[in-house]
Amino acid sequence: MVEALIVSNLLLWALVLVLAAVVFALVRQIGVLHERVAPAGALVGRSGPAVGTTAPRFDLTDWTGLPRQIGGPRPDGKSTLLAFVSPTCPVCKTLLPVLESVAHAERRRVRLVLASDGPRAEHEAFVAEQRLADRVYVLSTELGLAYQVGKLPYAVLIDGDGVIRARGLVNTREHLESLFEAMERGVGSVQEYLTREPGNRRVA
Amino acid sequence: MTAAGVDPIVGAALRTALALLFGWAAAHKLRDMAAFRAAVSAYALVPAGALSVVSVLAVSTEIGVAVTLAWPSSGSLSALWAALLLLIYAVAVAVNLLRGRAHIDCGCVGAAGRQPITWALVVRNVVLSSVALVTGLPASPRSLVWIDAVTLVAAVAALALLYAAADGVLAHAPQLARLVADRHTDDHVEGAHG
């Protein structure tokens, strides 16, 4: 009797472990599926100025004290990649080099503006650490409010005529590139691309 | 488990599993202390000047708890520390949820790491905290036999796998909610065009 119980107990443990391993594997697979199903492009919130509308114009001074115009037509016709970051957002730190490399690759037609808000003192260490003084770094609460930035890092692509061409939450290089893709194709977001043509859903 | 206390193997299995959890959490934080400090700062509960101290204190407490929990004769003090630390994390998450700052990074180990904070995390920490308290109860002595070793190893392995799975389910919940929400909006948009 005791021997039978021991055998049964060992067998049950073996089954429990196999079961737990299978559950764990399934959860991992769900995670991968979520990543695939989720739009690879930047996630566009439902609030804030719509793509295709004129960007609100802001005349701000950057970190080094130089005046910077954000929004409105630009004489050089360059687009503006407006990226909202913060010293307290870990993803922002990993995204900054990506922003710089994308801005460098697109430097003929795009200028990069990094934006954040809060008291200047909170940004001193961040600016020094990330060497942002060489970049255009503006602090403005109004700017973030105007675009209704909730989650960071958030990017807005404004064309040379001051029209918002793409915007969204950007966590990776792919997200960032999707903004440029959206501008070239004239589509506001991956979500819009997916809903515009039912066939696109399968392609994406 | 009897009224006199926790069965020694149940207690040992839970302690070992908790020790693994704390060890894993500490290792995860040590690998990127800057990210952990940023996560602590995002909770907006600690003055900027004390950020480094608090971050280091949290990680060293985690290491201390992990080591002492794994030590069989450490008594109930490490269990109390573990429960306290988990409760502090739960309170920190709850305070920020009540403030409406649900978007901040959890700073947790595992799949929930780069997820917004949720009430589920608070519940998880409270449950873990009570488990830690249970392991601090006096064990009811009994003679151990070879099958207890099997039970211990298998139970710890099963707990670890199931914890990781539950953590994953928890982490995917916001993504799933978004998918369900998107589905409704898509239907709406297509309906409007048709």
Side-chain angles (χ1 to χ4, degrees):
Chain A
M1 175 67 186
V2 172
E3 200 185 334
L5 282 178
I6 289 174
V7 169
S8 141
N9 182 278
L10 292 180
L11 188 67
L12 284 174
W13 268 126
L15 289 176
V16 164
L17 285 179
V18 171
L19 203 55
V22 170
V23 170
F24 177 68
L26 281 174
V27 171
R28 301 242 353 205
Q29 284 185 5
I30 292 172
V32 172
L33 286 177
H34 270 301
E35 264 170 37
R36 286 289 169 87
V37 170
L43 186 72
V44 181
R46 297 182 208 292
S47 51
V51 168
T53 59
T54 307
R57 186 180 159 151
F58 284 91
D59 290 293
L60 306 164
T61 48
D62 72 3
W63 184 261
T64 50
L66 293 170
R68 300 289 179 182
Q69 177 199 324
I70 295 161
R74 286 181 56 80
D76 60 6
K78 271 193 187 181
S79 304
T80 301
L81 176 61
L82 178 59
F84 291 91
V85 295
S86 153
T88 55
C89 138
V91 189
C92 296
K93 281 178 191 147
T94 56
L95 194 73
L96 275 173
V98 177
L99 278 168
E100 302 216 346
S101 98
V102 169
H104 184 75
E106 304 271 348
R107 64 187 178 283
R108 288 215 176 78
R109 53 182 189 135
V110 173
R111 63 161 188 157
L112 173 65
V113 175
L114 299 169
S116 192
D117 64 354
R120 191 181 165 99
E122 283 179 12
H123 296 264
E124 299 277 5
F126 184 58
V127 167
E129 185 191 351
Q130 304 289 339
R131 283 186 234 107
L132 295 181
D134 307 335
R135 293 268 149 213
V136 181
Y137 191 58
V138 295
L139 292 182
S140 165
T141 309
E142 293 75 27
L143 194 61
L145 284 175
Y147 287 98
Q148 303 207 9
V149 177
K151 290 184 176 181
L152 296 175
Y154 193 91
V156 181
L157 195 55
I158 305 166
D159 71 8
D161 301 322
V163 176
I164 301 174
R165 300 304 297 269
R167 66 187 177 91
L169 187 66
V170 285
N171 278 327
T172 61
R173 177 180 288 270
E174 287 72 31
H175 291 173
L176 204 53
E177 281 168 356
S178 81
L179 294 183
F180 289 95
E181 188 80 357
M183 180 159 93
E184 273 153 25
R185 287 172 181 258
V187 186
S189 68
V190 168
Q191 287 89 337
E192 188 189 325
Y193 177 73
L194 290 174
T195 42
R196 188 184 281 182
E197 297 280 335
N200 285 347
R201 194 178 294 276
R202 235 161 285 136
V203 181
Chain B
M1 214 186 292
T2 65
V6 187
D7 184 272
I9 286 303
V10 172
L14 293 177
R15 288 172 84 96
T16 315
L18 277 174
L20 282 178
L21 178 63
F22 276 102
W24 183 33
H28 166 84
K29 287 171 183 127
L30 280 178
R31 223 175 302 143
D32 195 350
M33 271 307 276
F36 179 56
R37 202 161 38 237
V40 174
S41 151
Y43 276 86
L45 293 168
V46 181
L51 274 182
S52 297
V53 181
V54 170
S55 313
V56 171
L57 211 63
V59 176
S60 37
T61 311
E62 282 182 353
I63 296 171
V65 166
V67 172
T68 52
L69 271 179
W71 210 258
S73 59
S74 63
S76 55
L77 199 63
S78 60
L80 276 177
W81 270 110
L84 191 66
L85 193 60
L86 287 162
L87 271 187
I88 291 173
Y89 289 162
V91 168
V93 173
V95 165
N96 275 286
L97 284 170
L98 290 175
R99 281 176 178 170
R101 290 163 54 85
H103 60 278
I104 64 169
D105 182 43
C106 169
C108 316
V109 70
R114 280 170 75 172
Q115 291 293 325
I117 52 176
T118 56
W119 282 109
L121 277 174
V122 180
V123 174
R124 184 197 75 175
N125 273 21
V126 170
V127 169
L128 283 177
S129 178
S130 357
V131 171
L133 278 181
V134 167
T135 69
L137 294 176
S140 58
R142 68 170 170 87
S143 55
L144 297 178
V145 292
W146 65 269
I147 201 164
D148 286 321
V150 176
T151 311
L152 180 63
V153 172
V156 169
L159 279 172
L161 280 171
L162 289 175
Y163 178 83
D167 193 42
V169 169
L170 213 67
H172 299 151
Q175 289 165 303
L176 186 65
R178 205 164 59 209
L179 278 183
V180 172
D182 279 357
R183 180 74 236 148
H184 289 313
T185 345
D186 285 358
D187 290 347
H188 184 69
V189 171
E190 276 157 21
H193 283 298

